[in-house]
Amino acid sequence: MRLSWIVLVFGVGLVQGQQPTNNDVILSSESENNYDGTYKYSYQTSNGISVKEEGFLKNPGTEGEAQTARGSYSYTAPDGQVITVNWYADETGFHAERTNVQGPGTTPAEIPIPESAPEFFRG
């Protein structure tokens, strides 16, 4: 028990001693919720993070009703590579594909959703 308190106090001291080291800001942000299961949002930050997502309710009011979504996110890895992940999620689960785009400052290329994905996700 005493060791737990020592670790807790030490951890809190470390966190309190840290100061933010960057001034990254949100460059753009959009959000739309239609309250019928359809939505979309996106944002981009000054440190190269980019996120997009959209979704809809599949088979509403039936036993097969399922929330579906697709999206992507990108960020710059410490080695300067832009990492992009495209994904979709539906009643079959979560499916993602990752790619690396070479070089610092490179804009991520769009990665097509796999042909096996439902048509909504490819369009």
Side-chain angles (χ1 to χ4, degrees), residues 31-102:
S31 180
E32 178 183 317
N33 184 346
N34 298 312
Y35 301 101
D36 62 357
T38 60
Y39 69 94
K40 61 179 150 179
Y41 73 87
S42 64
Y43 64 87
Q44 186 173 14
T45 64
S46 61
N47 65 350
I49 295 172
S50 175
V51 175
K52 293 191 294 185
E53 182 176 329
E54 64 181 326
F56 73 99
L57 193 58
K58 185 176 180 181
N59 304 317
T62 69
E63 196 170 301
E65 183 176 283
Q67 180 67 50
T68 62
R70 72 174 173 180
S72 66
Y73 60 90
S74 300
Y75 63 94
T76 303
D79 65 1
Q81 287 191 16
V82 176
I83 307 297
T84 299
V85 176
N86 288 312
W87 60 270
Y88 73 94
D90 60 12
E91 68 277 8
T92 66
F94 180 81
H95 311 274
E97 180 179 42
R98 174 186 157 186
T99 184
N100 294 12
V101 179
Q102 300 298 318

